[in-house]
Amino acid sequence: MTGRSEPPNGPPENPEGGEDEYRSLVFDESFIRSARMQEFSAQERMGEHARAVRTLPEPVAPAGHGSRAAIVLVVLIALAFATAVYIGFRNPYPQPVPRRAEPLRTTVVPLAPRAAVPAGSPERLYRAAPLSGFRIGAEGINFPSVRRTQNFSDSQITTALATVKDYLVESSLNPDVLTGQVRRPVEQLLDPDQRGQFERSLSSPADDGLHAATGWLVRFDPAQVELADPQIRVQGTFSYTEDGAGTLEVVSDHTFTYALRPADGPRKEDGASLFTVRRELHFRFDREDLRLHRLELRTAHVQAGPQSCSAGATGTLRPLLAGERADDRGPAATDPYASGRPAAALCGTLAPLGATPSGAPPRTPQDPQALREFRPRP
């Protein structure tokens, strides 16, 4: 029999033709049970849909477009560079003019002894007053207490003092410098503006106040003398002050005493003699000098003896050794009417160790002035 069959649980509550107008759409329980339940995934529910946005083909650049872009980029870079150069040349703020170092002014005074030069062993000679209070080598070059100035810090002042100490050690204690074998350790500490004057002073020394080699360093003739004791005695002081807003001035005043003997004679134990050099040096530093560990030597006042007044100690110092006497000649004659470089010849008298000039108060053993008296000779 064909047609619709009754549900297993009997006819529906509403008979045919009743109020339920959706009866034809109602599934009975047997239909629901026989139905196959299957839930599709999201990808399956989406199906094979076309992409909402299509990728358009890239437009073909016309010929020459890349080269024109490169040219524009190069032009822009050139304009930017030209603008920077123009602004640099038209800087409204004036650049500070670099300060040039001034030439060194030197005064070298030989000190002539009144009698024969005493002889002895270095140990015995160094025990005499005031040398017994001197220290050995660089230990005698000591810093003062450091306090900042208005424009320079403690560390900057310490750097300046350390640079000056290096200069004193190299120019007064280095054995190779003392004998004239090397000069580079001294030269490299100088301001570049002074190195030309330094080289001329060592190659062509002159007594003109500008080109005395012994104003820059202590130097002996190795063919004449040699050190009898490498332990050089040293004593002195430092001082410093601010010289303007951008410069610092340091003054060193040190006495160096050397035990010498003849270079070609017999090396007797008691054949040594003392030679004393007092160096009062004025240095100047700016911040560039402090940064580069260099200095400007402004003035040098040197007294050295025993020497004869006629020694002319501008190239090397010429010590009088044990038992020798100074000659009777005074400083070289100077003609004020002559042209050329003026001479700066001076001479002094070397007081014996422990002696005190007439009318002067007694000095302590540690006073370096007790070594000699400077009296200009006629």
Side-chain angles (χ1 to χ4, degrees):
M1 177 176 179
T2 63
R4 185 185 302 270
S5 61
E6 292 293 333
N9 296 329
E13 296 179 356
N14 295 326
E16 183 177 356
E19 295 180 356
D20 190 0
E21 59 181 343
Y22 299 104
R23 182 177 183 279
S24 60
L25 300 178
V26 177
F27 301 103
D28 55 26
E29 185 176 352
S30 61
F31 178 82
I32 293 175
R33 290 178 177 178
S34 62
R36 181 183 178 187
M37 301 297 294
Q38 181 178 3
E39 182 178 359
F40 294 94
S41 65
Q43 184 68 29
E44 292 174 337
R45 289 197 300 270
M46 289 176 61
E48 295 294 330
H49 296 286
R51 296 178 62 183
V53 180
R54 290 189 300 165
T55 302
L56 298 177
E58 295 183 358
V60 180
H65 178 75
S67 60
R68 286 198 299 270
I71 293 174
V72 171
L73 180 60
V74 171
V75 171
L76 291 176
I77 294 175
L79 289 175
F81 180 76
T83 303
V85 173
Y86 176 78
I87 294 176
F89 280 111
R90 295 294 296 243
N91 187 358
Y93 301 100
Q95 297 296 326
V97 179
R99 184 185 62 84
R100 293 188 61 86
E102 299 176 0
L104 169 65
R105 304 287 178 174
T106 62
T107 302
V108 181
V109 181
L111 301 177
R114 297 171 179 169
V117 177
S121 65
E123 294 79 8
R124 185 177 67 83
L125 294 173
Y126 281 144
R127 284 197 298 267
L131 291 174
S132 57
F134 281 32
R135 296 188 177 183
I136 298 174
E139 296 180 358
I141 306 175
N142 300 309
F143 295 168
S145 58
V146 175
R147 298 181 63 182
R148 65 168 296 121
T149 62
Q150 183 176 358
N151 295 288
F152 290 91
S153 65
D154 297 355
S155 61
Q156 289 175 320
I157 296 174
T158 302
T159 299
L161 294 174
T163 305
V164 172
K165 180 174 181 177
D166 290 344
Y167 184 86
L168 294 176
V169 170
E170 296 295 345
S171 62
S172 307
L173 301 176
N174 188 333
D176 293 332
V177 173
L178 296 178
T179 56
Q181 299 180 30
V182 297
R183 63 181 69 176
R184 180 62 180 168
V186 178
E187 183 178 10
Q188 67 182 0
L189 293 171
L190 294 173
D191 189 287
D193 294 337
Q194 291 189 318
R195 293 177 184 176
Q197 182 188 8
F198 174 80
E199 290 291 339
R200 289 190 297 272
S201 299
L202 269 63
S203 59
S204 301
D207 187 15
D208 58 358
L210 291 172
H211 297 91
T214 49
W216 299 95
L217 45 79
V218 177
R219 188 166 69 164
F220 303 106
D221 184 355
Q224 301 296 325
V225 298
E226 65 181 13
L227 289 174
D229 186 351
Q231 295 183 335
I232 302 166
R233 300 307 196 262
V234 184
Q235 181 167 290
T237 60
F238 279 117
S239 63
Y240 62 89
T241 183
E242 187 173 314
D243 185 15
T247 56
L248 183 71
E249 182 174 347
V250 177
V251 178
S252 67
D253 187 359
H254 289 78
T255 300
F256 303 86
T257 301
Y258 308 85
L260 304 178
R261 63 189 174 196
D264 54 356
R267 298 187 177 183
K268 299 179 181 180
E269 183 179 355
D270 58 350
S273 60
L274 298 182
F275 187 81
T276 303
V277 180
R278 179 180 177 184
R279 307 181 71 195
E280 182 181 333
L281 309 177
H282 292 242
F283 303 90
R284 176 182 286 175
F285 294 86
D286 57 23
R287 287 179 170 78
E288 188 72 3
D289 295 329
L290 296 175
R291 185 179 68 85
L292 298 176
H293 192 68
R294 70 188 187 191
L295 51 81
E296 175 188 346
L297 181 55
R298 299 185 61 192
T299 61
H301 186 82
V302 180
Q303 302 177 37
Q307 297 184 100
S308 294
C309 289
S310 59
T314 57
T316 59
L317 298 171
R318 301 177 182 179
L320 294 172
L321 301 177
E324 297 181 343
R325 294 176 175 269
D327 56 36
D328 295 332
R329 289 179 294 173
T334 301
D335 184 1
Y337 301 100
S339 59
R341 293 177 176 175
L346 293 172
C347 189
T349 301
L350 179 66
L353 290 176
T356 301
S358 176
R363 295 187 174 91
T364 61
Q366 286 75 26
D367 189 350
Q369 287 289 341
L371 289 174
R372 63 255 171 236
E373 278 299 309
F374 170 66
R375 300 194 184 108
R377 287 195 174 188

